[in-house]
Amino acid sequence: MDNNNNNNKKEEEAVSEEVAFPMSEFDGWNNFGDDDDDIINQKSSIHADEAKKVPFLGDKEPLSSLAAEYQSGSPILLEKIKVLEVQYAAIRRTRGDGNCFFRGFMFSYLEHILESQDHAEIDRIKKSVEKSRSALQSLGYPDLTFEDFFALFLEELDCVIQGKETSISHEELVLRSRDQSVSDYVVMFFRFVTSAAIQKRSEFFEPFILGLSNTTVEQFCKSSVEPMGEESDHVHITALSDALGVPIRVVYLDRSSCDTGGVSVNHHDFMPVDGDLPNATDSSEKKNPFITLLYRPGHYDILYPK
């Protein structure tokens, strides 16, 4: 994630700067969190065996529960969490198993559709799903390798539409998101969509992939995108946002401090490059993604704005 020191020099309670493409904005991603010992230690504990005891998706909790994790840690983190509490009401945790970005995106998106009943958005994303299916086919993927994952996502999408025999409640959506047989299949759907998007725009993504893994685009997708448990970074998020036309806001928590002594919390908005934005009737709407994730090194949770 981009540690933008220029932003951190501003004397503000919170920095809410929207940054669009190009991807050069993310040059500092690999260095993010190098000095954030408290967060890195927390990440290590997440990926330990204890992670298996954590559900794929947690309950909605007040943001104060986040501060409790760092009571004996960095004062800067505690101050930043106070800043977050001004803008965000709650957090929903995901299991730290390497799939947390996709699982967080999955639930946030389906929850939004369940609550908004936005049929225009449903029609729009179904078209994006068909484009991704065609992209995989054009790349030589046999249908049998991905079709079950696509079918299950579309089934989940139909289930959150109310007024049908197959409609589910919010509680049932939470339970289904915790069910491995459902949750993992939807994660795999997103992984294949992401892989196809990266490979179809290989010239664009290649420089950033070389910086991350020194492999070819195809090798990167086979080893770092498609397998379950592989962590996500700016390449994955950018590709998924582009492929599905869904803006994603990522708020990140680090120990960087302002030279002026102020406290800032930065975010990055991943905006689809083709401008295919859901519910975008004017420019102001385009700047407000309805999916917000909290990033700490190696882990994503869901944030709920006030």
Side-chain angles (χ1 to χ4, degrees):
M1 187 64 63
D2 178 14
N3 249 343
N4 192 325
N5 292 329
N6 291 329
N7 285 344
N8 290 336
K9 293 179 181 177
K10 297 179 182 179
E11 287 189 46
E12 299 179 337
E13 276 296 300
V15 175
S16 57
E17 178 180 359
E18 176 188 332
V19 187
F21 293 103
M23 297 264 292
S24 58
E25 293 291 342
F26 304 102
D27 289 343
W29 183 292
N30 289 333
N31 297 323
F32 177 84
D34 285 349
D35 299 320
D36 296 324
D37 294 335
D38 294 324
I39 307 179
I40 291 172
N41 290 337
Q42 191 266 354
K43 170 195 171 185
S44 298
S45 68
I46 286 177
H47 282 280
D49 290 339
E50 285 297 307
K52 297 178 182 177
K53 301 178 183 178
V54 178
F56 289 132
L57 187 79
D59 293 327
K60 200 172 181 178
E61 304 174 49
L63 211 59
S64 57
S65 65
L66 183 62
E69 295 182 33
Y70 300 109
Q71 283 302 322
S72 60
S74 167
I76 294 175
L77 289 178
L78 294 173
E79 287 300 312
K80 290 194 172 191
I81 292 169
K82 289 180 182 178
V83 173
L84 286 176
E85 287 179 319
V86 174
Q87 297 176 313
Y88 298 96
I91 184 172
R92 190 186 293 274
R93 302 172 193 275
T94 62
R95 179 184 290 185
D97 60 359
N99 302 305
C100 50
F101 164 69
F102 290 111
R103 235 182 280 277
F105 179 90
M106 169 191 71
F107 183 81
S108 290
Y109 185 82
L110 292 174
E111 183 180 47
H112 170 77
I113 297 300
L114 177 63
E115 294 175 349
S116 69
Q117 292 299 294
D118 187 341
H119 289 270
E121 166 59 12
I122 294 169
D123 292 341
R124 188 204 62 77
I125 200 167
K126 283 184 176 180
K127 293 177 182 177
S128 295
V129 170
E130 288 309 310
K131 289 180 182 178
S132 292
R133 177 186 275 114
S134 297
L136 285 166
Q137 292 168 338
S138 70
L139 289 165
Y141 286 72
D143 287 2
L144 61 86
T145 61
F146 61 81
E147 189 54 45
D148 286 350
F149 307 130
F150 274 61
L152 187 58
F153 172 74
L154 292 172
E155 180 183 320
E156 291 299 289
L157 193 60
D158 286 337
C159 284
V160 295
I161 302 171
Q162 298 303 291
K164 301 164 61 176
E165 289 187 6
T166 56
S167 298
I168 62 174
S169 66
H170 187 276
E171 181 181 4
E172 288 171 317
L173 176 61
V174 172
L175 292 175
R176 288 174 73 87
S177 298
R178 291 173 178 170
D179 181 341
Q180 186 170 9
S181 64
V182 175
S183 191
D184 280 0
Y185 263 53
V186 178
V187 167
M188 282 303 304
F189 161 74
F190 288 129
R191 287 189 176 277
F192 272 108
V193 167
T194 302
S195 179
I198 292 171
Q199 292 182 74
K200 294 298 284 187
R201 297 180 65 211
S202 59
E203 290 185 5
F204 174 76
F205 285 108
E206 186 175 28
F208 307 101
I209 288 172
L210 287 173
L212 289 171
S213 61
N214 195 30
T215 62
T216 67
V217 170
E218 184 177 1
Q219 288 170 336
F220 177 80
C221 288
K222 296 296 184 185
S223 63
S224 301
V225 179
E226 294 173 15
M228 288 291 287
E230 290 296 320
E231 295 182 358
S232 302
D233 58 28
H234 64 282
V235 171
H236 303 68
I237 303 173
T238 300
L240 184 64
S241 175
D242 287 353
L244 296 181
V246 178
I248 304 169
R249 174 166 294 179
V250 178
V251 177
Y252 55 96
L253 187 63
D254 65 5
R255 293 178 60 197
S256 62
S257 59
C258 299
D259 293 343
T260 55
V263 176
S264 64
V265 178
N266 299 311
H267 75 252
H268 187 98
D269 286 350
F270 292 81
M271 308 299 285
V273 293
D274 60 2
D276 183 19
L277 302 180
N279 290 336
T281 58
D282 57 52
S283 59
S284 63
E285 280 192 87
K286 292 182 182 182
K287 296 179 181 178
N288 293 297
F290 55 75
I291 292 177
T292 304
L293 303 176
L294 176 68
Y295 177 79
R296 292 172 282 174
H299 188 67
Y300 300 83
D301 291 310
I302 302 168
L303 280 180
Y304 291 87
K306 288 186 173 179

